[in-house]
Structures are given as C-alpha cells and as structure tokens.
Amino acid sequence: MMDDTNSNDTVPWRLYLAGGFVFILFLILVLRLATLQLLDEEGYKQSANTQSRRLVIIPAPRGNIYDRAGHLLVGNRPAHNVVADVAALQNEMNEELTRLRREERAARRAAVPGENGKLSRARDDELREIAPVNVLQQYLDKVNRVIGRQETLDAKAVIQHLTKLSRTRAIPITIVRDLTEAELARFMEQVPVDYPLRIASESIRTYPYGTTAAHVLGYVRSDRGDLAAMPELSAAAPEVLEFFALSEEARKQHMLKGFAGQEAVAGVEASFDKDILQGIPGHQLWTVRPNGYALEQLTGAPPRQGKNLYLSLDVNLQRTAEQALAQRFPGYFASVIALDVKTGEILVCANAPSFDPTRIQQTAYYKEFLKSGSLFNRATRIALPPGSSFKPITAIAALRAGVINPDTIKDCGAYFEIGRRKYIEHDRNAFGRVNLVRMLQVSSNVYCYQVALDTGIEKLAAEARRFGLDQPTTLEISQAPASRLIIPTPEYKRKRTGEGWALGDTANFSIGQGSMQTTLMHLTSMFASIARNETRTAISIIHDPARSSGRDHHGEPIGLPPDQYQAIIDGLVACASPPNGTGRSVAGYGNYSGIQRLGGLSVASKTGTAQVSNNTANLAWVLAFAPVENPQIAIGVLIEGKPGDTNFGGGTNAGPIANSVLLEWRKRYFSTEIKAPEVPAAVPFTGYQPGFSER
Amino acid sequence: MARPTYINPRPFVYLAFGLVVWWLAPGFVRALFKDAFYEFQAPLVLTQSQLQDIQTYWAVYAGTPKHDMITFNRDLLRVNANLTSQNNQLQRLLRENNRRVERLLAVPSRPEYKSIIARVARRDINTWWQRLILRRGREDGVRIGSPVVVGTGVVGRVAKVHATTCEVQLVSDPDFRIAASVDGDERTAIYQGAPNVPFVLPQGVVTHLPSDYTYTPGEGAQVSVFTSGAGGVFPGGLLIGIVVGELSATSDGMFFEGRVRLHTQLTSLEEVAILIPLKPGPTLLE
C-alpha cells in the first residue's frame, strides 16, 4: 500500500511538467494565431488576394490628332485578332495529353516487346508542351477554313504563354492577327458565339495623309506589354489599386497587359501623351486557379479613348511644302516652317526626307533614318549658321545704336579689309553706294561689315538675344536645346577656343557666319516678329480659336522710329522685288522654273546663303512674310546643300519653295479686301522705291 | 371516427429518384435522351399543326358561299398568271443586270441558294422567343446553319435538324450573330441578338461599326440594319431591323454600337423560307 501511495505521489510532478510543456506550446500557438489573425491580418489577406488574382490592364486607344480645319492626321483603326480562351480549353488540353501519353506508351511497347512503356520525366514534360499546341492548332485549322487563311501556330509563343507560373496563362492567347473586314465578317457569322475562340480588337495608329508631317506628329511603337509603360488607374476600385502598391517583383507576377500598348516616342505623340492622347486604360480583375488559368472576372472597366488634339497645322499647306521639297530636292535635307504671324501658330512644319510612321517599328527602316539624321524634326532641332538672313538684326542693332539711319550711305567695294584680311562681298561686282534699303535688297556684306564695326559686338549680340535667337521657344514639341543655339560673344570665344575676339569675328557675325547658329524655327519666328514690329513670337503647334484676334507674345516693340522701321520693311519688300532683289523668286520673279507671280499678294523677304562643312557646302535660307500691309503668314525655308553644292543660294534654291507655299496660302486664305494697313498712320506705306536717294 | 388517409409517398420517391438519376447522368446521355424523345414527339407536333391548318381551312370554307369561292379562284388564277409572267421577266432582267455589274466590279461570286417554304409548327416553349419549329427536316434537305427568312427579313438560322422537322434559332437569340451593314455605310458591322426582356419586343445590338461612321438619316427617317452578305452564310440585303435611338461610340472610341428593334414580321410568323446553299461552304456552326 505504501508503495502504491508513493508511486501516486511521484506521478503528478511529471504530469505537471508534461502538462506545463504542452501548455507553453499551446500558448505559443495561440499567440502566433492571434498575431496572424489580429496583427498581420491585413498583410496576409492582401497577399492571399493577390496570390489568387491577376490584374489585366487593357491599353486605351489613343486620341485622334486633327489639323486646324479638322482634317484627321492621326487616327486609329481596330486590328481584329482571333484569341483562344485557354482557360476554357483546359479539359481538351488534358485529354490531348492523355491521348499523347497513351499513344507513346503503346508505340514503345510495340517497338520493344516486354517493355512497360513508361515515359521518362523529360519526355513527359515535352508532351505537356505539345498537347496545348496540338489543341490550339486544331482550332486554328478550323479558323483557317472559315476565313480562308493558311496560318500556322507559333509553337514557341504558345509554350511561352502557357508556361507554368507564367502570369500570361490568365489571359487568352492570340492565334490569328489583324483580320480583314471580310475575314471578320466570316468569323462572326460562321463561328458560334459560345466557341472558345473570340475576337479581341486592339487599336492601331493610322495616318490618312501618309508621310505628311511625320516629324511633327511623331510616332508610336509597341511597348510589348511592358509594365513600366503602364499608367496608374487613379479612379479604380480599392482592390484594384492594391496591385499598384505591390513591390516591383510582385507586380511582375500579378499584373499584366491584355495586349501590348502603344508607347509614344516622338513629336506631338510624345509631347501630349500623358493626360491627353494616352487615354485611361481599362482593367479586368480575375481570380485564377492554382494552376494560373483564369477562373472568374471579379470587376473591370473598359478603356477610355484619349482626348483629341487639334494642331495648328494646315494639312494642305503642309502637303504643298512637302511636295515642293520632294520634287525639287530629292534626297536633300530641307525644311519649311510657316507661322501665323498674329497668333504664332505653326501652319507648316515640313522636313524632307519624310518617313512612314507605320514602318518605323521595322528595325532596318528605323536605323536607316536614324543614321542619316532625317528622323529629327530638323526645322526645330538643328541649329545652323543663318547667313544673310540674319542681316535684318544687324540693321536693327545699328539703327538702335544710332550708327546709321535709313539714308546713311556706305561705299561698298568688292571686299572690306580688316587688318590684313579681306572680307569679300558675295557678288563679284561691287554694289557701290549702298543705303539700308539697298543693303537688304541686294544683301550687301560689305555694308554690314562696316556698320557692324561701328555698332560693336555687344550691341549686335544683345539685339540677337532680344529676338530670342539663343533661347528655346514656347513650342510644345522637341526643339534644339539652349546649348546648341549660339550667339557668339568675346566671352564665348575665349571659353571655347582660348583666343581673343577679333574685329573680323564681328564682321562675320554681322552676316550670320562664324560660330553663330540657330534654327529655322527661330529665324521664321524672328521674321514674324519683325512683321508685327515686335521682338518675340510665341510659337505653338496647338490651334486655339480664341487666339484668332492676336495674342500677347511676351516680347516688346522693336523700338525703332516709324521711318526707320519702315525702311527695314521697304528693304525686305525690295528684296522680294525684281529686277535685283535676291529674294525675287519668292514673289514669282526671275528665271526659275516652276514659280508663279502671287497675283496681288505683296511679299517681304530676306535670303541667306551660309557656308558649312569647311566651305564645301552651302545652306540656302529664305525668310518671307505676306501680305506686307497686314502680315498674316511668315515662312522660312532651309535647304541643306551636300558637300560640293557651293552654288546653292537662298534666292535660287529656297525661294521657289516659299513661292509654292505662298501660292497655296493665297488660294486658300488671301482675300483682296484687306483691312487698313497696320503700319503707323503717321508713316503711310509708300511701297518700294527702286534705287535710293542721296542726301 | 374516420381513419386519417395518408398519401402514398411511393410516386414521390420514384420521382425524386428519377430526378437524381437525371441530374447525375452524363451530358451525352441526357442529350441522347432529349433527341430520342424529340423524334417521338415530333409526329405529335406535326399532327397538331396540321390539324390546326385543317381547322382553319374548314372554318373559312364553312363561312363562305360556294359561288364566291369559284369567283375568287378564277380571279386569283388570272392575277397569278399575270404576276408569274411579270416575275419571270423581272427575274431574268435582274439576273442579267447582276451578272453585268458583278463582271464590271469583279465581285467574287456569291453563294446561291435553293429556297424551301416551310410552315411554322410551333414556337418552342422552352425558349419562348428564341426558337421556332418548322415542318421541314433532314428529308427535305435542310442543313444546320441554313438561313431562314421571311419576305425580305431575317428570321434566324437552322440550329437543329430532325427527320421531318427543324429548329430555328431566332434572330433575337443572344447566341445569334451575323455580319451586317448599316444604312449609309458599306463596311462590315456585327449584329447579335440581345438578352430578352419579358413583355418587350425582341431586340438585338449592332456592334463593330467603324468609328468614323457619319451617316445621318433625314428628318424622321430611321437607320436600317441589313445582312451584309460578307459572312458567307446569309445573302446580303436582308432586313434585320431598325436602329433604336442613336448609334453611340463605345467608351474606347473604337466602334459605334446601338440597339436594334427587329422587324415586326417576326412576331406573327406562319410561313418562312429556308435557304439551302447550293455549294455549302465551311462553317463551325454544325
């Protein structure tokens, strides 16, 4: 009995120990459960949700782009693709896999009697890849019969799409791309609605005017379903927004695009991409099976097309300019800009050679244009020496400095000597006695050398800066950076070459040569500003009807007395007049093929010929505005000569292009009923007086 | 005191058992049973329809004096002879013109059809609006997918063919989809039946109409939806219905779409024509 009692006494402490141990374990469990359930609940819930869900983003069709009159420049067309609903084909794929295994085993047993026919793991994995390809190929064969195509399945793409753990398993796979209208009709009429194949339409950019304005419009390319190019959906449901809070890695696992979107690369497409053209993508939130196939759509919203954009371009003028460039200068870099003088809106921004935006995704085509430099909007991005087209600025600077007045006469020989160096006239025949109007008419270099030395580099450079020739403009699309726009000064030269400024540099600068460089857009803008007797023109590629009565260009008046301003205008009119005006071809005068008189439309112009490539090639510039009495359009043309083209000249080569654009403008916009001239009433316009008066 | 009478539960047990067996049976067994049952039931449907015809005939016959019938008959024969002659002449002219225009435009040849007139035996009560049963079947050469028309309007297409009857999937069925074109635009749009709303005339939707569709009908005029003929099953130019309200752009801006009110002949069908293609093309509808 004692023993029994003793043994009864000894049991409890072990029991308590064991009980205590179990209790502690249990406590740990409870605490852990409490942590999971109460503290970490949110995180786990989210993780569980996203584990079994996929967020599919449907890129939105981009907004349309129109010209100022509402002509469609860039639109969209639907590309109808046949997609196979892989989730609905799972059973068929499994049956096919079973069939393949059975056949293979039977074949092995037949080949080697006594063999059990068991498949190796590697072979079984291969069959797993073959089965879905076979099933989809059977469906593709049926579609081929209906639509009359001979498509074959891209087996690699199918295997990639359906790879285990691949997020793309959750979305249908495309088996036929871009059906024609007739094929779509046959598919829709002959394939049952509840078939595992259906049509998914994506939107593709179309260009009704082909290559017209390609440099301005820019282009898009497929983003290949890239998640980085996926905009956030700000207005979606909270369970959708959860996905955007995921880590980069988790996003890659649980988010995908329904099909590749279009990524804006250049031009208007890129500049007005976000918030305007891009639109709001749609989305579909799906639950997926553990094997990754889609199970059920939980929520979703269709995509919303981007907003439409109305550009300031006039497609008719644009085409005229491009056709003129292509006909006269095939294979040359050449550009035209035309501005609405009052509003600063761009009417034409043409570059040759132009490219086909629908082909730019082809690597070889893209590289060819990139390498040659013709992929850029050269009119706004390439800065070059302006040559004599800069001379109006030299004249304004000299007039404002009081160095000359309109009647000042300079004796202009065949060259002008500074130190021991001769600075030559562009014409072998000297111009003799030259005043301001004649300087602008015949573009006398020697006149400019003389007045520039009297004016001084500081005042000349300041005048060029006042017209904004070294600053990016208000243009909304890509343009030359400030670092490429150069107005040389003594400091600039010292920094760049370590040498001091010479008087010869001032002389070169006065005729737009040397290291001065700016773009065609800047020079055209300068000419539009001169036409309005102001220093700046606020350029825009967007059409705003509210601007039709004019706008604040954020410049200042040129600040010349009316007679001096009038002398500049008279000089520019003389430049566009026969018989000696260097820019007479603009107005249709001279022995140039294909030009025509402008029938009552008065024009002012300035030509320029600059030497580049160590004087082996010329740049031909021409600037013009019209009508002189009430300026409405300003045009700039630049033809870039190739090495050896030393005979290129502004009046000879660029003038006829400006003439073509002005003819078209006259046809469309010019009315002979013109309002009273805008020049100050105190100095009525007197027209050009040939020759000059001595005083 | 009368003993309480209990209902014999055995039939209910059998019924429940039968339902469970039916519910558990594989799909193909059920389909087989349904088809077999249908073939047995078909003569009843036919007989019922024919009896109805005889009843209508005798009702008219009994209510009309005999000499009136003779006069009507003579007049009708004259009108008929006249119209047949005109019809033949016009058809010949039309065929010649069609051939000439098609040659000029190099249009690919369109499918040609032989038409069979079929009386409506009844509307299938299971799917009230969506199916019709016609008194023509496999023995008459009817094929699955054959278009069914009335006058110049679309009725639907043959969905099932039995020995002496066939079932027609109506144009209002949400599973009915064909290539269409809309007034003022030659390009392909898609018509599809829409889910049915009780006590409302059947409707459909027209989708995939290009987004640059700009046709505006005149004052009070309506936009009609026709078969386009490009789908390879239905001939072109058959009326499907009228667009209700306005065509509106889809939110993605890619297409226009709108609701379609189906043509009114659909509500009182007695006789329809089944178009049997002379050279049947490929179709996945079978």
Side-chain angles (χ1 to χ4, degrees):
Chain A
M1 282 303 281
M2 276 304 282
D3 279 343
D4 280 348
T5 315
N6 281 346
S7 67
N8 276 348
D9 284 344
T10 53
V11 172
W13 74 266
R14 284 189 202 153
L15 200 63
Y16 290 140
L17 191 67
F21 187 66
V22 169
F23 177 75
I24 288 168
L25 281 181
F26 194 69
L27 194 69
I28 291 171
L29 272 178
V30 168
L31 283 176
R32 181 72 187 134
L33 190 67
T35 322
L36 290 179
Q37 280 288 324
L38 303 173
L39 301 179
D40 298 342
E41 184 213 359
E42 211 36 52
Y44 281 100
K45 206 165 138 190
Q46 195 175 334
S47 165
N49 274 348
T50 49
Q51 280 298 329
S52 60
R53 291 176 182 184
R54 297 286 181 275
L55 184 64
V56 182
I57 302 290
I58 315 292
R62 298 176 67 77
N64 293 339
I65 303 176
Y66 299 91
D67 84 340
R68 64 191 297 117
H71 297 111
L72 183 67
L73 302 177
V74 188
N76 298 301
R77 75 169 177 84
H80 304 291
N81 302 328
V82 178
V83 298
D85 186 0
V86 284
L89 291 173
Q90 270 187 96
N91 283 345
E92 280 180 65
M93 290 176 185
N94 289 339
E95 281 165 18
E96 175 68 7
L97 179 60
T98 313
R99 188 188 68 80
L100 287 174
R101 282 173 177 157
R102 200 171 47 231
E103 277 181 9
E104 182 118 348
R105 278 196 215 110
R108 284 175 182 229
R109 278 198 292 267
V112 185
E115 167 100 9
N116 68 359
K118 200 178 171 194
L119 302 178
S120 70
R121 177 136 197 185
R123 182 59 190 155
D124 196 61
D125 285 345
E126 275 174 29
L127 293 185
R128 279 173 190 278
E129 290 181 349
I130 295 170
V133 174
N134 283 359
V135 170
L136 286 171
Q137 184 62 55
Q138 284 161 17
Y139 276 99
L140 180 57
D141 292 343
K142 290 176 186 171
V143 175
N144 277 339
R145 276 207 303 279
V146 166
I147 64 174
R149 280 203 196 182
Q150 301 292 327
E151 299 269 339
T152 49
L153 203 62
D154 180 353
K156 252 189 192 168
V158 172
I159 292 165
Q160 179 73 28
H161 189 97
L162 299 178
T163 307
K164 206 173 180 190
L165 299 178
S166 163
R167 57 191 169 148
T168 48
R169 258 192 184 189
I171 56 172
I173 184 169
T174 302
I175 59 170
V176 185
R177 289 207 169 271
D178 209 0
L179 297 189
T180 63
E181 206 179 300
E183 288 170 342
L184 174 74
R186 297 183 76 83
F187 182 93
M188 288 299 209
E189 195 158 310
Q190 299 190 27
V191 175
V193 174
D194 55 0
Y195 219 52
L197 305 180
R198 62 185 169 84
I199 295 290
S201 305
E202 58 181 300
S203 135
I204 288 181
R205 276 305 209 197
T206 54
Y207 303 85
Y209 290 93
T211 60
T212 303
H215 293 91
V216 178
L217 300 172
Y219 54 92
V220 293
R221 65 175 169 222
S222 165
D223 64 18
R224 293 163 207 267
D226 184 13
L227 287 171
M230 184 155 59
E232 287 210 12
L233 308 164
S234 48
E239 66 262 36
V240 171
L241 294 179
E242 266 175 22
F243 283 82
F244 289 94
L246 294 176
S247 69
E248 192 70 20
E249 208 48 43
R251 272 176 156 214
K252 276 186 187 162
Q253 199 55 42
H254 302 296
M255 289 171 75
L256 68 159
K257 280 192 169 173
F259 50 83
Q262 292 179 315
E263 179 190 6
V265 182
V268 166
E269 291 272 24
S271 298
F272 295 92
D273 188 36
K274 210 168 178 241
D275 301 331
I276 298 181
L277 291 172
Q278 197 178 56
I280 301 171
H283 64 271
Q284 295 171 353
L285 183 60
W286 286 82
T287 51
V288 292
R289 294 171 195 277
N291 62 8
Y293 287 107
L295 182 64
E296 183 192 7
Q297 188 181 338
L298 295 176
T299 173
R304 294 232 305 269
Q305 188 184 16
K307 292 175 196 150
N308 295 337
L309 198 61
Y310 285 82
L311 299 187
S312 58
L313 294 181
D314 176 316
V315 75
N316 293 306
L317 290 182
Q318 178 81 23
R319 288 172 86 187
T320 303
E322 291 189 9
Q323 281 164 8
L325 291 180
Q327 279 166 14
R328 286 181 183 266
F329 299 100
Y332 278 84
F333 287 139
S335 308
V336 178
I337 287 228
L339 298 175
D340 182 318
V341 172
K342 289 193 171 67
T343 64
E345 292 183 356
I346 294 185
L347 300 171
V348 174
C349 182
N351 289 283
S354 194
F355 61 86
D356 181 351
T358 58
R359 289 180 62 199
I360 209 74
Q361 274 213 61
Q362 300 164 9
T363 313
Y365 188 78
Y366 172 78
K367 280 189 176 161
E368 177 195 328
F369 274 85
L370 186 70
K371 201 175 160 191
S372 68
S374 45
L375 204 58
F376 302 115
N377 186 354
R378 298 183 75 86
T380 65
R381 289 189 62 177
I382 302 295
L384 292 164
S388 300
S389 62
F390 178 72
K391 284 174 182 167
I393 299 295
T394 304
I396 291 169
L399 285 168
R400 287 185 73 224
V403 172
I404 54 164
N405 63 45
D407 298 324
T408 305
I409 289 169
K410 298 282 180 188
D411 204 359
C412 297
Y415 59 86
F416 183 68
E417 230 173 305
I418 301 173
R420 273 179 294 172
R421 195 165 162 199
K422 288 177 180 170
Y423 289 80
I424 54 160
E425 186 55 83
H426 68 83
D427 198 308
R428 259 175 272 161
N429 302 315
F431 290 119
R433 293 160 66 77
V434 175
N435 72 352
L436 178 63
V437 171
R438 184 153 169 82
M439 181 280 278
L440 291 168
Q441 179 196 20
V442 298
S443 197
S444 168
N445 286 350
V446 173
Y447 180 96
C448 287
Y449 299 146
Q450 294 180 53
V451 303
L453 293 188
D454 293 345
T455 310
I457 178 62
E458 297 302 340
K459 284 185 177 163
L460 277 176
E463 198 59 47
R465 278 197 290 271
R466 204 161 71 100
F467 278 83
L469 295 184
D470 63 340
Q471 288 162 28
T473 67
T474 51
L475 181 68
E476 301 89 342
I477 56 174
S478 66
Q479 51 179 314
S483 60
R484 305 297 297 272
L485 302 166
I486 298 166
I487 292 175
T489 55
E491 298 81 58
Y492 170 82
K493 189 179 176 188
R494 201 172 304 116
K495 261 190 214 164
R496 195 159 167 261
T497 64
E499 292 172 14
W501 187 264
L503 286 178
D505 293 327
T506 306
N508 266 336
F509 179 59
S510 73
I511 60 162
Q513 284 286 167
S515 37
M516 154 113 201
Q517 55 182 43
T518 191
T519 70
L520 176 65
M521 180 183 60
H522 281 83
L523 290 172
T524 316
S525 154
M526 171 197 91
F527 226 58
S529 304
I530 291 174
R532 282 196 327 275
N533 198 359
E534 289 179 351
T535 56
R536 294 289 174 95
T537 297
I539 296 178
S540 176
I541 192 71
I542 299 299
H543 179 49
D544 181 359
R547 290 184 192 135
S548 60
S549 53
R551 66 183 293 195
D552 180 5
H553 291 276
H554 304 290
E556 57 185 38
I558 291 179
L560 291 175
D563 64 319
Q564 294 190 359
Y565 173 69
Q566 191 55 50
I568 299 272
I569 300 297
D570 288 352
L572 299 176
V573 172
C575 176
S577 304
N580 300 323
T582 53
R584 60 189 182 278
S585 58
V586 175
Y589 293 96
N591 190 21
Y592 306 102
S593 69
I595 57 169
Q596 286 177 46
R597 302 280 161 80
L598 297 175
L601 180 65
S602 54
V603 191
S605 88
K606 184 71 199 82
T607 56
T609 304
Q611 278 88 41
V612 286
S613 306
N614 295 326
N615 297 343
T616 60
N618 281 2
L619 303 175
W621 301 85
V622 81
L623 304 174
F625 68 80
V628 177
E629 312 80 38
N630 176 25
Q632 292 177 46
I633 180 173
I635 298 179
V637 180
L638 165 64
I639 316 291
E640 298 177 42
K642 294 177 181 172
D645 286 328
T646 48
N647 56 345
F648 257 43
T652 319
N653 299 86
I657 304 283
N659 177 258
S660 304
V661 178
L662 279 172
L663 280 169
E664 183 67 20
W665 184 84
R666 180 181 163 276
K667 197 169 89 187
R668 297 189 173 275
Y669 295 98
F670 184 58
S671 156
T672 45
E673 295 167 355
I674 294 172
K675 291 180 209 157
E678 284 193 350
V679 287
V683 186
F685 176 69
T686 51
Y688 166 63
Q689 306 281 319
F692 54 89
S693 56
E694 291 180 42
R695 206 174 276 181
Chain B
M1 204 169 146
R3 283 181 60 180
T5 51
Y6 294 104
I7 300 166
N8 184 3
R10 202 172 288 172
F12 293 101
V13 173
Y14 288 150
L15 184 65
F17 179 73
L19 282 173
V20 170
V21 168
W22 179 251
W23 181 60
L24 290 174
F28 75 92
V29 174
R30 276 192 275 182
L32 196 73
F33 261 89
K34 268 187 189 169
D35 277 359
F37 180 73
Y38 192 86
E39 291 292 2
F40 275 111
Q41 193 198 14
L44 286 179
V45 174
L46 286 181
T47 315
Q48 185 193 2
S49 167
Q50 271 154 353
L51 281 175
Q52 224 164 23
D53 282 358
I54 293 167
Q55 191 187 352
T56 317
Y57 174 82
W58 280 108
V60 174
Y61 184 82
T64 321
K66 232 173 208 175
H67 62 271
D68 279 1
M69 300 268 279
I70 293 165
T71 322
F72 286 154
N73 190 31
R74 194 192 55 210
D75 290 351
L76 279 177
L77 281 174
R78 279 183 196 156
V79 172
N80 191 21
N82 195 9
L83 287 177
T84 310
S85 137
Q86 266 185 27
N87 189 18
N88 287 342
Q89 220 171 338
L90 286 174
Q91 276 200 5
R92 201 173 51 241
L93 209 72
L94 190 67
R95 266 199 301 274
E96 277 169 19
N97 276 339
N98 267 355
R99 272 194 213 116
R100 203 174 309 137
V101 171
E102 283 177 0
R103 244 197 328 274
L104 283 173
L105 298 175
V107 177
S109 68
R110 290 170 304 171
E112 287 185 43
Y113 303 88
K114 146 184 111 173
S115 75
I116 307 174
I117 303 300
R119 266 191 95 72
V120 176
R122 75 161 193 218
R123 284 181 185 277
D124 191 338
I125 49 165
N126 292 330
T127 44
W128 172 242
W129 267 112
Q130 322 300 356
R131 298 231 160 176
L132 284 183
I133 296 169
L134 304 183
R135 277 169 28 185
R136 295 281 192 172
R138 202 178 303 118
E139 289 168 5
D140 305 287
V142 178
R143 281 167 50 95
I144 288 182
S146 303
V148 180
V149 301
V150 57
T152 53
V154 178
V155 171
R157 71 172 138 225
V158 174
K160 267 189 181 172
V161 181
H162 307 286
T164 53
T165 56
C166 66
E167 287 177 43
V168 177
Q169 178 190 37
L170 279 179
V171 65
S172 52
D173 190 321
D175 284 346
F176 180 90
R177 180 174 70 183
I178 49 172
S181 62
V182 177
D183 267 344
D185 203 311
E186 289 292 303
R187 292 172 293 178
T188 293
I190 302 301
Y191 165 82
Q192 191 167 351
N196 230 12
V197 183
F199 309 113
V200 172
L201 283 176
Q203 291 198 340
V205 287
V206 61
T207 60
H208 288 75
L209 188 61
S211 61
D212 53 351
Y213 174 79
T214 51
Y215 178 73
T216 38
E219 189 73 28
Q222 288 169 308
V223 178
S224 306
V225 182
F226 297 94
T227 56
S228 80
V233 176
F234 278 78
L238 298 170
L239 181 68
I240 298 172
I242 304 288
V243 174
V244 191
E246 290 205 346
L247 289 161
S248 56
T250 50
S251 79
D252 59 14
M254 278 204 280
F255 306 107
F256 268 113
E257 60 182 15
R259 283 183 302 132
V260 178
R261 192 175 65 228
L262 299 173
H263 61 102
T264 46
Q265 281 171 297
L266 213 58
T267 51
S268 53
L269 292 170
E270 284 187 7
E271 255 177 12
V272 294
I274 307 173
L275 304 181
I276 314 285
L278 295 181
K279 287 181 206 157
T283 171
L284 300 181
L285 297 165
E286 291 182 25

